[in-house]
Amino acid sequence: MKKILLSTLLFWGALMLNAQLSIIPVPAHAYIRSNHKGFHITKDTKIVVASESDKKSALFLNQYLKTSFNITLDIVKEKPEDNYILMELDKKASTFEDGYRLKSSNRDISIAGVSHASVFYGMQTLLQLLPTSNTQSIVIPSVVIDDYPRFSYRGMHLDVSRHFFDIQLIKQYIDYLAFHKLNYFHWHLTDDHGWRIEIKKYPKLTEVGSWRNGTIIGLWPGIGNEGIKYQVFQDKISITPENAVIKTDNVRYGGYYSQEEIKEVIQYAEDRYITVIPEIEMPAHSMAVLAAYPELGTEPNKKYSVAETWGMMNKYNNVLQVSERTFGFLEDVLTEVMELFPSRYIHIGGDEASKVWWRQSPETQNFMKEHQIKDEAGLQSYFIHRIEKFVNSKGRIIIGWDEILDGGLAPNAVVMSWQGEKGGIAAARSKQKVIMTPEDKLYFNHSQFIKDDSLTANKFLPLKDVYQYEPVPKEITAEEQKYIWGAQGNLWSEYISNPSKVQYMLFPRIDALSEVVWSPKESRIYSDFTRRLRDQFRRYDKMGIRYSSHYVK
């Protein structure tokens, strides 16, 4: 009965809040104090911070005020009598992890959080209380907001292999995540189409592997000139170049991040309480590796090249040979990656490894006999387990796409469930952490408008479908639900080659995602979300962000 009453109060509380405020993601609890006057931010207003850590939040607020209202406030440690914005750590501010309380009156604004991250989240809420129109008077309504996230993992992914984006865009992308209270940035750094991270021990990874000789034009098979050497049907190879011809633009394309640039991005994200999770793909999606170091492939005498197309990649031999030589290479690479990234989690891919290439490799088959591995699914499991053991030895944990379940799940791995929810459900039932990111609900490279005005992946994901996604499957028990760590949106860059397109594909679906992973389930009301989104668009206009508005009427 108490749970029903609490759900009812949350629902009506959300309605009361949403009728007057336009905050995304919607807070857990909030109300306007109608008998209080609002707070006026003027050039004399002070930002009071109790620690250097909270100064990060103050600087972020000042940056927004400068950009949107051409005003910069003094940051001080001593609290004046009135006319101030206080940011402080207070363990009693909330009983929830990363919870905060924001209170405003005509005299002051206070943001108290149980962690420095939650103070930062409260500051992001404050930004959405600022006027969305150009005005001489900056007035914050008098409110009390008690808020906290629903899920601990609130993530967004970006693929920089298919198209490369400089660190200016990466930093901007991290700001987008911060604005929506997301706390994990999944950086997809390697794939068939380009290796994007400097590894000092293996310079050919960037000298060779970060560059391709052309890029497919249009959807598969494009309108260009590269012939396919292999096709795979029911896991068998047939050499049929006449069956498909991929057409590319013949323009050399590439780029990579130096280790110094990587460090710069990591620090930038840390200042915004975002953890950067690197992804180093293995054992498949490795054509860029094999172009640089062909001896690591199942056909060591083959001349591999960095992939010039996307889709249908199982037509290519893009898997690493399972050998001691390969494991030595991967351990060297991962060691440098882990020295750069402080994240507890390292993503190792693990998806879409076509077993046919291992089956036709004498060296692979000999390895399987020596290690008493009965089949290629078992070999995939051996590979993942061995990499996990190495990563664990460095005090880290692996994340993998749900194919890492093949042949038996690695004991400490986190599963990122993209092929629907089946893999996530299986992992939760095995009492292992799960990040839900099903392709049909959270892949933002799919078209968001049935008559989209630019090329996208040939699938459809409207805003409403993102918003209505529920990360906790009905099929699992209350005990198993504890292993649903959170959810993540993915932005694959096959047809995204510039910052403007990144924005267009991201917004406003990131708004929907933020509410899915942050707000109480009972508070999510789509019609009210689209109402609040109109004010959000006015903020985006101020920020110079390009967005899709097809679903807001």
Side-chain angles (χ1 to χ4, degrees), residues 288-355:
V289 175
L290 298 176
Y293 297 97
E295 64 271 21
L296 299 176
T298 58
E299 297 173 284
N301 297 319
K302 173 185 173 70
K303 182 174 173 53
Y304 293 92
S305 60
V306 179
E308 298 177 25
T309 182
W310 17 87
M312 313 294 280
M313 289 312 300
N314 63 349
K315 294 176 183 295
Y316 292 90
N317 184 349
N318 69 349
V319 298
L320 297 170
Q321 178 69 272
V322 185
S323 67
E324 294 305 318
R325 180 176 58 246
T326 297
F327 285 121
F329 165 82
L330 291 172
E331 288 177 6
D332 288 341
V333 168
L334 288 170
T335 295
E336 286 197 36
V337 168
M338 288 186 282
E339 287 172 352
L340 281 171
F341 289 86
S343 167
R344 188 183 180 198
Y345 301 92
I346 305 295
H347 203 302
I348 54 93
D351 60 312
E352 297 181 323
S354 179
K355 311 301 188 295

Side-chain angles (χ1 to χ4, degrees), residues 179-393:
F179 190 71
H180 292 85
K181 301 186 178 77
L182 303 183
N183 62 343
Y184 283 91
F185 171 43
H186 174 179
W187 204 357
H188 187 82
L189 289 163
T190 74
D191 213 302
D192 294 308
H193 314 88
W195 182 280
R196 306 296 181 211
I197 175 173
E198 178 188 19
I199 301 297
K200 294 186 183 295
K201 191 167 184 177
Y202 296 97
K204 286 184 182 179
L205 287 172
T206 46
E207 291 170 3
V208 177
S210 68
W211 295 93
R212 60 178 181 257
N213 292 323
T215 302
I216 186 174
I217 302 170
L219 293 171
W220 175 276
I223 51 173
N225 60 16
E226 178 194 345
I228 298 178
K229 292 186 177 179
Y230 301 108
Q231 280 200 306
V232 179
F233 298 100
Q234 297 178 348
D235 215 19
K236 294 179 181 179
I237 303 173
S238 63
I239 301 175
T240 52
E242 70 278 8
N243 285 3
V245 177
I246 300 175
K247 311 282 175 104
T248 75
D249 59 13
N250 288 323
V251 176
R252 181 169 161 81
Y253 180 90
Y256 68 93
Y257 307 101
S258 70
Q259 292 199 0
E260 288 307 308
E261 288 176 316
I262 295 281
K263 292 175 184 176
E264 188 177 335
V265 168
I266 291 169
Q267 185 59 58
Y268 191 87
E270 284 184 355
D271 289 344
R272 287 147 182 79
Y273 300 95
I274 290 172
T275 299
V276 183
I277 296 177
E279 180 177 2
I280 307 298
E281 274 275 14
M282 63 186 79
H285 289 281
S286 296
M287 289 179 72
V289 175
L290 298 176
Y293 297 97
E295 64 271 21
L296 299 176
T298 58
E299 297 173 284
N301 297 319
K302 173 185 173 70
K303 182 174 173 53
Y304 293 92
S305 60
V306 179
E308 298 177 25
T309 182
W310 17 87
M312 313 294 280
M313 289 312 300
N314 63 349
K315 294 176 183 295
Y316 292 90
N317 184 349
N318 69 349
V319 298
L320 297 170
Q321 178 69 272
V322 185
S323 67
E324 294 305 318
R325 180 176 58 246
T326 297
F327 285 121
F329 165 82
L330 291 172
E331 288 177 6
D332 288 341
V333 168
L334 288 170
T335 295
E336 286 197 36
V337 168
M338 288 186 282
E339 287 172 352
L340 281 171
F341 289 86
S343 167
R344 188 183 180 198
Y345 301 92
I346 305 295
H347 203 302
I348 54 93
D351 60 312
E352 297 181 323
S354 179
K355 311 301 188 295
V356 66
W357 308 109
W358 286 335
R359 192 171 299 134
Q360 57 91 46
S361 167
E363 185 177 349
T364 301
Q365 294 302 309
N366 287 336
F367 186 94
M368 290 170 63
K369 288 176 184 177
E370 289 172 5
H371 292 80
Q372 298 181 326
I373 300 169
K374 67 177 182 177
D375 56 26
E376 286 71 26
L379 185 63
Q380 163 94 357
S381 180
Y382 174 91
F383 187 103
I384 299 300
H385 278 67
R386 182 152 170 180
I387 292 297
E388 181 191 41
K389 186 176 180 180
F390 174 74
V391 172
N392 288 168
S393 75

Side-chain angles (χ1 to χ4, degrees), residues 483-494:
Y483 296 96
I484 305 300
W485 191 19
Q488 173 177 290
N490 289 343
L491 191 57
W492 301 96
S493 66
E494 291 96 332

Side-chain angles (χ1 to χ4, degrees), residues 58-260:
L59 290 170
F60 199 102
L61 172 60
N62 251 344
Q63 181 183 8
Y64 188 90
L65 290 172
K66 175 66 176 176
T67 302
S68 299
F69 302 101
N70 196 29
I71 185 173
T72 302
L73 306 181
D74 291 337
I75 301 174
V76 300
K77 288 188 175 181
E78 297 297 326
K79 185 168 64 176
E81 290 187 9
D82 57 16
N83 195 19
Y84 61 87
I85 301 168
L86 172 65
M87 298 179 181
E88 65 176 348
L89 189 67
D90 181 355
K91 297 293 185 181
K92 297 180 180 179
S94 175
T95 58
F96 295 91
E97 179 184 0
D98 284 339
Y100 69 88
R101 165 169 278 202
L102 187 156
K103 293 174 64 177
S104 59
S105 68
N106 65 319
R107 292 175 56 87
D108 59 65
I109 296 172
S110 67
I111 300 171
V114 298
S115 65
H116 295 298
S118 52
V119 173
F120 185 79
Y121 301 142
M123 182 275 299
Q124 295 292 350
T125 296
L126 176 59
L127 297 186
Q128 295 193 41
L129 294 172
L130 292 166
T132 57
S133 58
N134 292 323
T135 176
Q136 295 289 327
S137 181
I138 308 173
V139 182
I140 303 295
S142 182
V143 298
V144 176
I145 296 174
D146 286 297
D147 196 16
Y148 51 87
R150 181 184 177 196
F151 292 103
S152 295
Y153 187 102
R154 306 179 299 280
M156 193 67 218
H157 154 288
L158 181 64
D159 165 26
V160 297
S161 175
R162 289 161 181 84
H163 281 101
F164 177 73
F165 304 104
D166 63 24
I167 63 166
Q168 182 179 350
L169 182 279
I170 300 302
K171 289 179 177 180
Q172 194 175 54
Y173 198 83
I174 287 168
D175 280 340
Y176 299 155
L177 272 58
F179 190 71
H180 292 85
K181 301 186 178 77
L182 303 183
N183 62 343
Y184 283 91
F185 171 43
H186 174 179
W187 204 357
H188 187 82
L189 289 163
T190 74
D191 213 302
D192 294 308
H193 314 88
W195 182 280
R196 306 296 181 211
I197 175 173
E198 178 188 19
I199 301 297
K200 294 186 183 295
K201 191 167 184 177
Y202 296 97
K204 286 184 182 179
L205 287 172
T206 46
E207 291 170 3
V208 177
S210 68
W211 295 93
R212 60 178 181 257
N213 292 323
T215 302
I216 186 174
I217 302 170
L219 293 171
W220 175 276
I223 51 173
N225 60 16
E226 178 194 345
I228 298 178
K229 292 186 177 179
Y230 301 108
Q231 280 200 306
V232 179
F233 298 100
Q234 297 178 348
D235 215 19
K236 294 179 181 179
I237 303 173
S238 63
I239 301 175
T240 52
E242 70 278 8
N243 285 3
V245 177
I246 300 175
K247 311 282 175 104
T248 75
D249 59 13
N250 288 323
V251 176
R252 181 169 161 81
Y253 180 90
Y256 68 93
Y257 307 101
S258 70
Q259 292 199 0
E260 288 307 308

